[in-house]
Amino acid sequence: MADSRGGGGCCPPMDLFRSEPMQLVQLIVPIESAHLTVSYLGDLGLIQFKDLNSEKSPFQRTYAAQIKKCGEMARKLRFFKEQMEKAGVLPSLNSDAQADINMDDLELKLGELEAELVEVNANDEKLQRAYNELVEYKLVLQKAGEFFSSALSSAAAQQREIESRQSGEGSLETPLLDQELSADSSKQVKLGFVTGLVSKEKSLAFERIIFRATRGNVFLRQTAVEEPVTDPVSGEKVEKNVFVIFYSGERAKTKILKICDAFGANRYPFSEDVNKQSQMITQVSGRQTEMKTTIDAGSLQRNSLLKTIAERYEQWNSLVKKEKSIYHTLNTLSLDVTKKCLVGEGWSPVFATKQIHDALHRASIDSNSQVGSIFQVLDTKEGPPTYFRTNKFTTAFQEIVDAYGVAKYQEANPGVFTIATFPFLFAVMFGDWGHGICLLLATLVFIAREKKLSSQKLGDITEMAFGGRYVILMMSVFSIYTGLIYNEFFSVPFELFGRSAYDCRDPYCRDSTTIGLIKVRDTYPFGVDPVWHGTRSELPFLNSLKMKMSILLGVAQMNLGIILSFFNALYFKSSLNVWFQFVPQMIFLNSLFGYLSALIIIKWVTGSQADLYHVMIYMFLSPTDELGENQLFPGQKNLQMVLLLLALVAVPWMLFPKPFLLKREYEKTHQGQSYVPLPSTDESAELEAAHDGSHGA
């Protein structure tokens, strides 16, 4: 693989192991074909434009008006989406795409639809408010009518009682006050009243404020409405009480009306005449039925309009987003002095040169441009961006790596190794071949229906699982493998590969402890012997096994990272990183943890009872002491002393020489210069590699 920075002759071509070679290209595009050119290049997705107008504000750029227009269309589409969600109308995902939709026609169409929908919503809101007022008015007529009917019945009974008392006119038992009232009925006070509804939770405060404001010169009666009613103002369901307030005088009336307004109480007219009450109830019921019919007709019209929008919504939304992206990209291009062409610069992979040429040629033909676009490669000292070619299988793994850090240009790509290490380390934790089979079957459903599901909108969790379906596939396969090693099927052991190597010496040891078990057959051929499951020593045994296995895997992964830094140093021809970074790191890591890994393997192979904790601790504290029963092989003590010495030497070797050598190299390069130009590409590459050679690891 060619290297634009002059390095890399030592290594064979690796497509995914290293990022693609990049080139800085310049495009000179005629104005009339600029829109189609950027559209085709965007579909290609193999060029990253630089912003040549960074000194300009967004409002000073060439296509600011077009972006504003696209933003307005996007606002209208968001409004349509909100209305569809409220109405429960889902956008159609299978609408026939039209490639030649005129943006001016679309803008006009969206404006007409928005105006129509706003008008329909306004009418519906007015009708709904009037309908809710009729519902409340009917409740007031019913509840207040009941109160007035009971009051009239009570008054009639009292009147009959008074008349019966007055039948003996000269009787000493007749009250003088009753005689005075009956004699001077013209002096009776005429009371006014107000009826309406108030929120149930505000009713006590409402009653208290009215009593205090009128100094108790009112009579208030409230009745609860059985079911919540829709408030005409807020449009929400509210529990309310019907109230009737009797007062005397205009001042009291004014105070009561102000308090009603302050508490949001809706007032409605009411007649004392029973006949008029029945007539009003009949009229309100009739108007309510008519209003309901009108509202239903308006809802049908609104739903029909929203369904028409839903059929084309996804297509319009995609088109507006694409158009806005095109104009954002065009604003990064600079306008030529002749104002007849646009000049753009960007990074593209070397392999994409032919595809970019083809896209430029197609754009010129389709736009009927008399002048074709010019494409040329520029020489530059800038650091190129990193680009990896991925497919549907490797994309998810690469995104996992990029989430933690993107490899520098032309560094070794850890994403290749993540394809194996990430799902395997998950399986070490998730090892159960029963659960692994369930996970595998679910993933195979995703993969079998990926063409259908990729064109649908999924939920957040489902979409994330679908995007990582190949990662989950690898996880499930490795989980089945580690589950067979752990011998766990939904945490139940099976004798899949033969019978257990152990048996009870007597019938009393089964299911209680491993004491009493004797080895009667060959060692279980694959994985954990099923006899360990359910015994008292299961937990210590499996914890020890998994801890030691984790050490082996961790040390192997650390070695892989250091080896990747070695290949980076070779690729960038940095001997400094090889001798003062890679070599001491390998010595230090393997002198301690590599040696521990070797001891674990030797102990497994030989069946030794040595205590590895004791071996590693006293390797530092008392390196000259005899190992005794912890000795695993001849010459172990001398080897440990050599490894400890190497580890102690590797620490200063790794920390001190490299900074001083870099400082000396820098001073030598800039000796006798107060102001110097920036270092060349090769020099900066070597310095960056010297500082950050282990970045990719």
Side-chain angles (χ1 to χ4, degrees), residues 125 128-133 135-136 197-199 202 228-240 263-266 268:
E125 185 177 350
Q128 196 66 48
R129 179 167 183 169
Y131 177 78
N132 293 332
E133 288 177 349
V135 171
E136 288 194 344
L197 290 96
V198 68
S199 174
K202 298 179 182 179
V229 295
T230 304
D231 187 80
V233 178
S234 65
E236 298 178 355
K237 291 280 187 180
V238 182
E239 292 185 348
K240 291 190 173 185
F263 277 84
N266 300 324
Y268 297 96

Short mmCIF file of all heavy atoms in Angstrom, two decimals, residues 125 128-133 135-136 197-199 202 228-240 263-266 268:
data_model
loop_
_atom_site.label_atom_id
_atom_site.label_comp_id
_atom_site.label_asym_id
_atom_site.label_seq_id
_atom_site.Cartn_x
_atom_site.Cartn_y
_atom_site.Cartn_z
N GLU A 125 -60.39 23.65 17.23
CA GLU A 125 -60.22 24.15 18.59
C GLU A 125 -61.42 25.00 19.01
O GLU A 125 -61.92 24.88 20.14
CB GLU A 125 -58.93 24.99 18.66
CG GLU A 125 -58.58 25.46 20.05
CD GLU A 125 -57.27 26.22 20.09
OE1 GLU A 125 -56.56 26.21 19.07
OE2 GLU A 125 -56.99 26.83 21.14
N GLN A 128 -64.38 22.63 19.49
CA GLN A 128 -64.20 21.81 20.69
C GLN A 128 -64.45 22.65 21.95
O GLN A 128 -65.05 22.16 22.91
CB GLN A 128 -62.78 21.23 20.71
CG GLN A 128 -62.60 20.07 21.67
CD GLN A 128 -63.40 18.85 21.27
OE1 GLN A 128 -63.36 18.45 20.12
NE2 GLN A 128 -64.10 18.26 22.22
N ARG A 129 -64.00 23.92 21.90
CA ARG A 129 -64.23 24.78 23.05
C ARG A 129 -65.73 25.06 23.23
O ARG A 129 -66.26 25.01 24.35
CB ARG A 129 -63.47 26.09 22.88
CG ARG A 129 -63.68 27.06 24.02
CD ARG A 129 -62.68 28.19 23.96
NE ARG A 129 -62.85 29.08 25.09
CZ ARG A 129 -62.00 30.05 25.43
NH1 ARG A 129 -60.92 30.22 24.70
NH2 ARG A 129 -62.22 30.82 26.48
N ALA A 130 -66.42 25.34 22.11
CA ALA A 130 -67.87 25.58 22.19
C ALA A 130 -68.60 24.33 22.68
O ALA A 130 -69.55 24.43 23.48
CB ALA A 130 -68.39 26.00 20.82
N TYR A 131 -68.16 23.16 22.23
CA TYR A 131 -68.80 21.91 22.67
C TYR A 131 -68.59 21.69 24.17
O TYR A 131 -69.52 21.31 24.89
CB TYR A 131 -68.22 20.75 21.87
CG TYR A 131 -68.75 19.40 22.27
CD1 TYR A 131 -70.01 18.96 21.86
CD2 TYR A 131 -68.01 18.55 23.09
CE1 TYR A 131 -70.50 17.73 22.25
CE2 TYR A 131 -68.49 17.32 23.49
CZ TYR A 131 -69.73 16.91 23.06
OH TYR A 131 -70.22 15.69 23.45
N ASN A 132 -67.37 21.95 24.65
CA ASN A 132 -67.09 21.78 26.08
C ASN A 132 -67.90 22.77 26.91
O ASN A 132 -68.33 22.45 28.03
CB ASN A 132 -65.60 21.96 26.34
CG ASN A 132 -64.77 20.84 25.73
OD1 ASN A 132 -65.24 19.72 25.57
ND2 ASN A 132 -63.53 21.14 25.38
N GLU A 133 -68.10 23.98 26.38
CA GLU A 133 -68.93 24.95 27.09
C GLU A 133 -70.39 24.47 27.17
O GLU A 133 -71.06 24.65 28.21
CB GLU A 133 -68.86 26.31 26.40
CG GLU A 133 -67.52 27.01 26.58
CD GLU A 133 -67.45 28.32 25.82
OE1 GLU A 133 -68.36 28.57 24.99
OE2 GLU A 133 -66.50 29.08 26.06
N VAL A 135 -71.33 21.34 27.20
CA VAL A 135 -71.36 20.25 28.19
C VAL A 135 -71.45 20.82 29.60
O VAL A 135 -72.25 20.36 30.44
CB VAL A 135 -70.12 19.36 28.02
CG1 VAL A 135 -70.02 18.35 29.17
CG2 VAL A 135 -70.15 18.62 26.69
N GLU A 136 -70.62 21.83 29.88
CA GLU A 136 -70.65 22.44 31.21
C GLU A 136 -71.99 23.15 31.46
O GLU A 136 -72.54 23.08 32.57
CB GLU A 136 -69.49 23.43 31.35
CG GLU A 136 -68.12 22.77 31.46
CD GLU A 136 -67.05 23.74 31.93
OE1 GLU A 136 -67.30 24.96 31.87
OE2 GLU A 136 -65.98 23.29 32.35
N LEU A 197 -69.27 26.67 37.18
CA LEU A 197 -68.47 25.53 37.63
C LEU A 197 -67.10 26.03 38.06
O LEU A 197 -66.53 26.96 37.46
CB LEU A 197 -68.27 24.49 36.53
CG LEU A 197 -69.49 23.67 36.12
CD1 LEU A 197 -70.13 24.31 34.89
CD2 LEU A 197 -69.09 22.22 35.82
N VAL A 198 -66.55 25.41 39.09
CA VAL A 198 -65.22 25.72 39.58
C VAL A 198 -64.48 24.41 39.85
O VAL A 198 -65.12 23.38 40.12
CB VAL A 198 -65.29 26.58 40.87
CG1 VAL A 198 -65.87 25.77 42.02
CG2 VAL A 198 -63.92 27.14 41.23
N SER A 199 -63.16 24.46 39.72
CA SER A 199 -62.35 23.26 39.95
C SER A 199 -62.56 22.74 41.37
O SER A 199 -62.64 23.51 42.33
CB SER A 199 -60.88 23.58 39.72
OG SER A 199 -60.07 22.48 40.07
N LYS A 202 -60.05 23.69 43.99
CA LYS A 202 -60.06 25.11 44.37
C LYS A 202 -61.36 25.50 45.08
O LYS A 202 -61.52 26.66 45.48
CB LYS A 202 -59.90 26.00 43.15
CG LYS A 202 -58.59 25.83 42.41
CD LYS A 202 -58.54 26.74 41.18
CE LYS A 202 -57.25 26.56 40.39
NZ LYS A 202 -57.23 27.43 39.19
N PRO A 228 -65.07 13.67 35.65
CA PRO A 228 -64.29 14.85 35.22
C PRO A 228 -64.81 15.37 33.88
O PRO A 228 -65.23 14.61 33.00
CB PRO A 228 -62.86 14.30 35.08
CG PRO A 228 -62.84 13.05 35.91
CD PRO A 228 -64.22 12.49 35.83
N VAL A 229 -64.79 16.68 33.72
CA VAL A 229 -65.23 17.32 32.48
C VAL A 229 -64.04 18.02 31.84
O VAL A 229 -63.07 18.39 32.51
CB VAL A 229 -66.36 18.33 32.75
CG1 VAL A 229 -67.59 17.63 33.25
CG2 VAL A 229 -65.93 19.41 33.74
N THR A 230 -64.11 18.20 30.54
CA THR A 230 -63.04 18.88 29.81
C THR A 230 -63.21 20.38 29.93
O THR A 230 -64.25 20.93 29.57
CB THR A 230 -63.07 18.47 28.32
OG1 THR A 230 -62.99 17.05 28.22
CG2 THR A 230 -61.90 19.09 27.58
N ASP A 231 -62.19 21.03 30.45
CA ASP A 231 -62.26 22.48 30.62
C ASP A 231 -62.18 23.17 29.26
O ASP A 231 -61.29 22.86 28.46
CB ASP A 231 -61.11 22.96 31.51
CG ASP A 231 -61.23 24.42 31.87
OD1 ASP A 231 -62.00 24.75 32.77
OD2 ASP A 231 -60.54 25.24 31.21
N PRO A 232 -63.07 24.10 28.94
CA PRO A 232 -63.05 24.75 27.63
C PRO A 232 -61.78 25.55 27.36
O PRO A 232 -61.36 25.69 26.21
CB PRO A 232 -64.28 25.67 27.67
CG PRO A 232 -65.15 25.11 28.73
CD PRO A 232 -64.23 24.52 29.74
N VAL A 233 -61.15 26.08 28.40
CA VAL A 233 -59.97 26.93 28.22
C VAL A 233 -58.70 26.10 28.08
O VAL A 233 -57.95 26.24 27.11
CB VAL A 233 -59.84 27.93 29.39
CG1 VAL A 233 -58.58 28.78 29.22
CG2 VAL A 233 -61.08 28.80 29.48
N SER A 234 -58.45 25.20 29.03
CA SER A 234 -57.21 24.41 29.01
C SER A 234 -57.32 23.16 28.16
O SER A 234 -56.30 22.64 27.69
CB SER A 234 -56.83 24.02 30.44
OG SER A 234 -57.80 23.15 31.01
N GLY A 235 -58.53 22.65 27.95
CA GLY A 235 -58.70 21.42 27.18
C GLY A 235 -58.33 20.17 27.94
O GLY A 235 -58.20 19.09 27.34
N GLU A 236 -58.15 20.24 29.25
CA GLU A 236 -57.78 19.09 30.06
C GLU A 236 -58.97 18.63 30.90
O GLU A 236 -59.86 19.41 31.23
CB GLU A 236 -56.60 19.45 30.99
CG GLU A 236 -55.33 19.84 30.24
CD GLU A 236 -54.23 20.24 31.19
OE1 GLU A 236 -54.50 20.29 32.42
OE2 GLU A 236 -53.10 20.49 30.72
N LYS A 237 -58.92 17.34 31.26
CA LYS A 237 -59.97 16.78 32.11
C LYS A 237 -59.78 17.27 33.55
O LYS A 237 -58.70 17.14 34.12
CB LYS A 237 -59.91 15.25 32.08
CG LYS A 237 -60.32 14.62 30.76
CD LYS A 237 -61.83 14.56 30.62
CE LYS A 237 -62.25 13.78 29.39
NZ LYS A 237 -63.71 13.71 29.24
N VAL A 238 -60.85 17.85 34.10
CA VAL A 238 -60.77 18.43 35.44
C VAL A 238 -62.01 18.02 36.23
O VAL A 238 -63.12 17.99 35.69
CB VAL A 238 -60.67 19.97 35.38
CG1 VAL A 238 -60.54 20.56 36.79
CG2 VAL A 238 -59.51 20.42 34.52
N GLU A 239 -61.82 17.69 37.50
CA GLU A 239 -62.95 17.42 38.40
C GLU A 239 -63.49 18.77 38.88
O GLU A 239 -62.74 19.59 39.41
CB GLU A 239 -62.51 16.56 39.58
CG GLU A 239 -62.13 15.14 39.18
CD GLU A 239 -61.83 14.28 40.39
OE1 GLU A 239 -61.70 14.85 41.50
OE2 GLU A 239 -61.73 13.05 40.24
N LYS A 240 -64.81 18.98 38.71
CA LYS A 240 -65.39 20.29 39.01
C LYS A 240 -66.63 20.17 39.89
O LYS A 240 -67.23 19.09 40.00
CB LYS A 240 -65.75 21.03 37.72
CG LYS A 240 -64.53 21.48 36.90
CD LYS A 240 -64.93 22.42 35.78
CE LYS A 240 -63.70 22.98 35.08
NZ LYS A 240 -64.05 24.00 34.07
N PHE A 263 -60.38 32.68 39.96
CA PHE A 263 -60.29 31.24 40.19
C PHE A 263 -60.55 30.42 38.93
O PHE A 263 -60.58 29.20 38.99
CB PHE A 263 -61.27 30.82 41.29
CG PHE A 263 -60.76 31.03 42.68
CD1 PHE A 263 -60.86 32.26 43.29
CD2 PHE A 263 -60.16 29.99 43.38
CE1 PHE A 263 -60.39 32.47 44.57
CE2 PHE A 263 -59.67 30.18 44.66
CZ PHE A 263 -59.79 31.43 45.26
N GLY A 264 -60.73 31.07 37.81
CA GLY A 264 -60.99 30.34 36.56
C GLY A 264 -62.33 29.64 36.56
O GLY A 264 -62.49 28.61 35.88
N ALA A 265 -63.29 30.16 37.29
CA ALA A 265 -64.63 29.56 37.33
C ALA A 265 -65.43 30.02 36.11
O ALA A 265 -65.47 31.22 35.81
CB ALA A 265 -65.34 29.94 38.62
N ASN A 266 -66.01 29.09 35.41
CA ASN A 266 -66.81 29.40 34.23
C ASN A 266 -68.27 29.65 34.65
O ASN A 266 -68.91 28.78 35.24
CB ASN A 266 -66.75 28.25 33.22
CG ASN A 266 -65.33 27.97 32.77
OD1 ASN A 266 -64.53 28.89 32.63
ND2 ASN A 266 -65.00 26.70 32.54
N TYR A 268 -72.32 30.62 33.84
CA TYR A 268 -73.34 30.38 32.80
C TYR A 268 -74.67 30.95 33.27
O TYR A 268 -74.99 30.91 34.48
CB TYR A 268 -73.48 28.88 32.52
CG TYR A 268 -72.21 28.27 31.97
CD1 TYR A 268 -71.31 27.62 32.81
CD2 TYR A 268 -71.92 28.34 30.61
CE1 TYR A 268 -70.15 27.07 32.31
CE2 TYR A 268 -70.75 27.79 30.10
CZ TYR A 268 -69.88 27.15 30.96
OH TYR A 268 -68.72 26.61 30.45
#
